[in-house]
Amino acid sequence: MAMVDFEDAIATLRQVAIAYDTKKLSTRPDPAAIVESMTTLERGRRGERRELSLDDVLGDWRLVFVTGTQKTRKKAGTMIGAGRYLPGLVNITISYRADDTVNAGENTAKDAEQNTGRVVNQVKLGGLTFTVTGPIEAIAGRQTLAFDFTQWCVGLGSWMPFNGELGNGADGDVTFTERSLKDRPFFNYFWTDERAIAARGKGGGLALWIRT
C-alpha cells in the first residue's frame, strides 16, 4: 500500500467521525486505510517532543475502531490485527474528567493544569451496562495518559444493583501517581482532534474514538 501523507491521514480519520455523525456508515473508510492513517500520524509525531495535556482528551468518546494487541495478533492472525470497526450492537465509551467527581458537568482550569482526574469506561449491550472507573494522569513530557480501574458496577437501565472494587480499590486511587508508568496501563495519544482521538495502548494495539 502506498504511503499516505500527514494531511490525508488526518482527513481519513475525520471522515470516520463524519460517517457516524451523519449515520452514513457506508461512507466509512476501509479498515486498512484507517490503520495506515493511524500509523502515519504516529510516526509523524515521534520527533515532535509533543506533550499530552489532559485538556486534549477531556469529554466523552465512543470507541469505533480497534486493532489487536501484539499478543492477539499472534493468536488470531491478520483478521483482528488488520483492524476492524466495532459492531453497532456494542456501544463502548470512555469519558475523561479533570476532577474527582466523574459526573461533574464542568471542569476547572486548575484541574486541567494538574493533569490528573478520572476515567469512566462503559460498555452497553441492549439495556445492560458495565462500567469501570478510576484515576488518570497525563504524564509530563510525553503523549501518554496513564490510567487504572478501581471501581466497577453493573446495571440494567437506570438500576445499578451490583458494584464493587477492582485491584486495590480506594487504596489504588491514593497510590496511583506514585507507581511507575510500567506498572500502570496507558495510552499513547499520538493524535487528538475536536472530533476524534487515536492512540496506541500498552499492549501494542491501536484504537480510534469519536466524540459523542
Side-chain angles (χ1 to χ4, degrees):
M1 178 183 296
M3 184 71 67
V4 298
D5 65 28
F6 206 78
E7 293 303 319
D8 286 343
I10 291 174
T12 297
L13 298 191
R14 285 176 175 167
Q15 179 58 41
V16 177
I18 293 171
Y20 279 91
D21 286 346
T22 60
K23 303 188 186 307
K24 296 179 179 179
L25 300 188
S26 62
T27 64
R28 295 179 303 186
D30 182 79
I34 299 298
V35 174
E36 183 68 15
S37 295
M38 286 198 286
T39 54
T40 294
L41 293 176
E42 184 180 32
R43 285 192 296 265
R45 294 295 192 193
R46 283 174 181 164
E48 292 186 355
R49 297 185 180 276
R50 177 174 169 268
E51 179 175 279
L52 179 76
S53 167
L54 187 57
D55 193 52
D56 294 333
V57 295
L58 290 181
D60 305 318
W61 308 90
R62 178 181 176 183
L63 181 63
V64 295
F65 187 90
V66 295
T67 69
T69 64
Q70 293 174 353
K71 182 181 294 186
T72 59
R73 283 197 293 269
K74 290 179 180 178
K75 291 182 178 180
T78 59
M79 182 180 69
I80 296 177
R84 61 182 299 174
Y85 289 103
L86 270 65
L89 293 176
V90 180
N91 190 329
I92 302 176
T93 58
I94 195 164
S95 301
Y96 293 124
R97 300 285 182 258
D99 57 22
D100 290 333
T101 305
V102 296
N103 291 318
E106 296 182 357
N107 300 292
T108 66
K110 180 179 179 181
D111 288 328
E113 290 172 1
Q114 292 175 345
N115 276 354
T116 59
R118 304 290 293 180
V119 59
V120 181
N121 197 52
Q122 191 170 80
V123 180
K124 291 183 179 180
L125 182 59
L128 188 64
T129 302
F130 178 68
T131 304
V132 290
T133 65
I136 56 174
E137 178 187 13
I139 304 302
R142 302 184 59 161
Q143 301 175 128
T144 304
L145 186 73
F147 63 93
D148 197 8
F149 295 126
T150 56
Q151 307 288 330
W152 66 270
C153 66
V154 176
L156 186 61
S158 60
W159 184 42
M160 299 286 181
F162 305 107
N163 63 82
E165 293 188 340
L166 291 170
N168 294 320
D171 290 338
D173 285 335
V174 174
T175 62
F176 173 69
T177 57
E178 300 172 5
R179 288 147 48 198
S180 68
L181 183 60
K182 67 182 180 63
D183 294 327
R184 293 182 284 176
F186 60 79
F187 287 120
N188 283 321
Y189 279 101
F190 53 83
W191 183 68
T192 59
D193 186 76
E194 291 183 359
R195 294 297 306 132
I197 53 178
R200 186 179 293 277
K202 185 176 183 179
L206 293 167
L208 176 67
W209 296 261
I210 61 171
R211 189 180 293 278
T212 61

